[in-house]
């Protein structure tokens, strides 16, 4: 449990900023995402903070012990995260009836 929390915190605080910092230092210019590239960035950061609170809160609720219940909650949180990520990536004009998802032809 602590390994997964620690590695995620390390990724967010070191793994993401260091490449950007290295780019800015090597190229000697600022790094700007621009309005198109930063679309959904605020929501992603908000979701990251919410997931971090949910994970730490859940682990604390289970008294820092890995149990089947904790594993189930972590699985549900992961499935929710993946579902919202996939929904974010759908085109705005997407029609579920036209993309062939969950359609069975007899």
């Amino acid at each position: 449990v602590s390994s997964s929390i620690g590695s995620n915190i390390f990724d967010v605080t070191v793994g993401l900023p260091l490449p950007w910092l290295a780019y800015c230092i090597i190229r000697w210019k600022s790094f700007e995402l621009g309005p198109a590239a930063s679309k959904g960035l605020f929501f992603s950061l908000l979701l990251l903070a919410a997931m971090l609170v949910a994970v730490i809160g859940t682990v604390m609720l289970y008294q820092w012990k890995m149990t089947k219940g904790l594993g189930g909650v972590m699985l549900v949180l992961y499935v929710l995260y993946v579902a919202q990520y996939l929904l974010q990536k759908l085109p705005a004009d997407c029609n579920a009836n036209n993309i062939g998802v969950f359609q069975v032809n007899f």
Side-chain angles (χ1 to χ4, degrees):
V1 174
S2 63
S3 175
S4 66
I5 294 172
S7 68
N8 288 333
I9 291 173
F10 178 82
D11 289 345
V12 170
T13 59
V14 177
L16 292 175
L18 276 183
W20 287 347
L21 181 63
Y23 175 86
C24 293
I25 290 172
I26 292 170
R27 301 282 179 144
W28 198 252
K29 60 182 177 180
S30 64
F31 186 87
E32 295 181 18
L33 292 173
S38 64
K39 181 183 175 198
L41 184 62
F42 178 74
F43 178 74
S44 295
L45 290 173
L46 187 64
L47 181 67
L48 175 68
M51 289 299 284
L52 186 62
V53 168
V55 167
I56 292 174
T58 303
V59 172
M60 289 174 67
L61 185 69
Y62 281 90
Q63 300 174 350
W64 298 90
K65 295 177 185 172
M66 185 55 125
T67 63
K68 287 182 183 179
L70 178 60
V73 171
M74 292 298 163
L75 181 63
V76 168
L77 288 173
Y78 180 72
V79 167
L80 289 174
Y81 171 78
V82 170
Q84 72 76 32
Y85 177 81
L86 292 174
L87 288 172
Q88 266 190 349
K89 298 302 175 188
L90 284 176
D93 59 348
C94 178
N95 182 352
N97 294 325
N98 294 334
I99 61 175
V101 177
F102 304 120
Q103 289 183 349
V104 178
N105 296 325
F106 292 102

